[in-house]
Amino acid sequence: MKKQLEWKISEYSPDSEPFYMEVNGEIRLAEEAYAEKIPVMLKGPTGCGKSRFVQYMAYRFNQKNGRRTPLVTVNCHEDLTADDLKGRYLLSGKFEDGPALVAVKKGGLLYLDEVVEARQDTIVVIHPLGDDRRIMTVERLGKVFEAPDTFSLWVSYNPGYQKKTKDLKQSTKQRFVAINFSYPSKDIETQIIMKEAGIEQSTAQALTQIGAKIRNAKGKGLEEGASTRLLINAGKFIRKGISPLVACEAAILNPITDDVEAYRSVHDGLADVVRSFFPE
Ligand code: ADP
């Protein structure tokens, strides 16, 4: 059968269990929050598994409920408006539901990724969904939509990137339980890299060590450490036969810095570390 490549927002949800390795008790917390209808906030650096966790939990909730409800992801940005979330009338006169309204109507999981990028006046739209009212008012339709029991609200952001001007209001923050994400322990990260990059344990272990060294350079020239995602990418290159140093440069170091000085200072150390793990 031909693989489905296009989904309506109202239909998309993972159809098989996404691979997710628990890092620090987050599955239980998310399950209890869901049972208690408390919205969930995921905080942590990029590439450390927040989106994968949301996919995994969306799958689990559907399994538990015996229903396929959508996972609706909104990538927030500063031009996002309340109407983008709720919906608007098209020129044809038909009302088109926005993603938040779709998630509410279908009882799915609404995930606002990088939520601090959206303007605060846009984000207040989710306030009535994020407390015990669990409603969304769509003024243009003159209607109030009550979220079904299966609906849940999730947001994520990276507190490390935000300037003082970009933050959530306390009235937004204090609607959520917050789960802090960080880089996984070496053992867990090794297993994630093995599985996702399709490489053997010793190579994944080496990449984990290389990642740890680069993370130590954060603040000493590097704005951000190497995420698990980058280590996986390096692993994929190595699996394809690209030399480990070139793979680590292209997949790990080049993406994280544009600063020539920082690049040089970290590069020499990186080259030494890569050679120590992958002797030629
Ligand atoms: P974020 O949303 O935090 O930016 P992602 O969820 O996109 O990060 O994670 C990046 C990649 O790292 C994922 O696609 C997945 O391959 C891998 N990954 C990170 N953490 C985990 C984990 N705990 N279990 C399984 N895969 C993970």
Side-chain angles (χ1 to χ4, degrees):
M1 205 172 71
K2 193 170 176 293
K3 197 168 182 293
Q4 174 94 42
L5 292 175
E6 190 180 286
W7 297 91
K8 286 189 190 143
I9 287 179
S10 58
E11 291 168 354
Y12 175 75
S13 67
D15 55 5
S16 56
E17 182 172 317
F19 166 67
Y20 182 74
M21 282 203 70
E22 185 167 37
V23 176
N24 192 19
E26 61 276 17
I27 295 177
R28 171 87 198 276
L29 280 177
E31 275 180 343
E32 297 301 352
Y34 185 69
E36 293 297 324
K37 301 194 175 68
I38 306 172
V40 178
M41 173 188 287
L42 307 180
K43 295 163 72 171
T46 184
C48 68
K50 299 184 294 299
S51 299
R52 179 63 68 90
F53 180 55
V54 175
Q55 290 180 326
Y56 174 73
M57 291 311 299
Y59 179 83
R60 271 179 84 122
F61 296 153
N62 275 348
Q63 290 295 103
K64 186 167 164 250
N65 297 329
R67 288 185 53 190
R68 188 174 169 131
T69 58
L71 164 59
V72 180
T73 301
V74 179
N75 300 105
C76 297
H77 54 83
E78 55 188 23
D79 294 330
L80 189 77
T81 64
D83 283 348
D84 291 333
L85 290 173
K86 292 183 177 186
R88 56 166 56 86
Y89 279 104
L90 304 176
L91 284 176
S92 63
K94 183 175 171 278
F95 188 84
E96 188 177 61
D97 295 347
L101 184 56
V102 168
V104 170
K105 280 171 132 179
K106 296 266 176 175
L109 191 160
L110 175 61
Y111 174 41
L112 305 181
D113 194 9
E114 296 290 353
V115 66
V116 279
E117 295 300 328
R119 290 193 317 268
Q120 302 203 3
D121 55 331
T122 302
I123 289 308
V124 294
V125 163
I126 62 168
H127 280 190
L129 278 176
D131 56 36
D132 53 4
R133 291 171 288 170
R134 288 171 56 93
I135 54 169
M136 169 163 258
T137 305
V138 183
E139 296 80 358
R140 290 181 193 280
L141 290 172
K143 286 187 182 167
V144 176
F145 294 85
E146 213 171 308
D149 285 350
T150 53
F151 171 83
S152 64
L153 173 64
W154 291 52
V155 301
S156 74
Y157 72 104
N158 177 356
Y161 288 163
Q162 269 61 64
K163 303 192 188 79
K164 272 272 169 275
T165 48
K166 275 194 177 166
D167 197 3
L168 296 174
K169 287 172 191 274
Q170 280 295 335
S171 57
T172 306
K173 286 182 176 175
Q174 294 199 20
R175 285 176 153 72
F176 292 84
V177 287
I179 303 179
N180 288 341
F181 272 67
S182 179
Y183 306 118
S185 68
K186 284 190 180 144
D187 281 353
I188 294 180
E189 191 161 48
T190 298
Q191 291 182 57
I192 295 170
I193 299 171
M194 276 171 71
K195 166 91 176 146
E196 293 282 297
I199 54 177
E200 51 188 51
Q201 190 175 19
S202 56
T203 311
Q205 265 165 346
L207 286 168
T208 306
Q209 306 279 3
I210 290 166
K213 298 265 182 215
I214 295 204
R215 283 167 199 162
N216 285 338
K218 187 183 167 189
K220 298 177 213 149
L222 289 187
E223 188 188 342
E224 189 59 282
S227 65
T228 307
R229 183 191 291 132
L230 298 190
L231 303 181
I232 293 167
N233 291 345
K236 287 177 177 169
F237 276 1
I238 293 171
R239 174 169 54 79
K240 289 284 171 73
I242 293 179
S243 89
L245 183 56
V246 173
C248 290
E249 284 169 349
I252 304 176
L253 189 55
N254 294 358
I256 53 182
T257 184
D258 299 322
D259 180 326
V260 180
E261 286 304 311
Y263 184 91
R264 275 204 203 113
S265 72
V266 179
H267 182 270
D268 291 347
L270 173 78
D272 289 343
V273 179
V274 172
R275 277 190 212 105
S276 72
F277 285 111
F278 298 101
E280 278 149 23

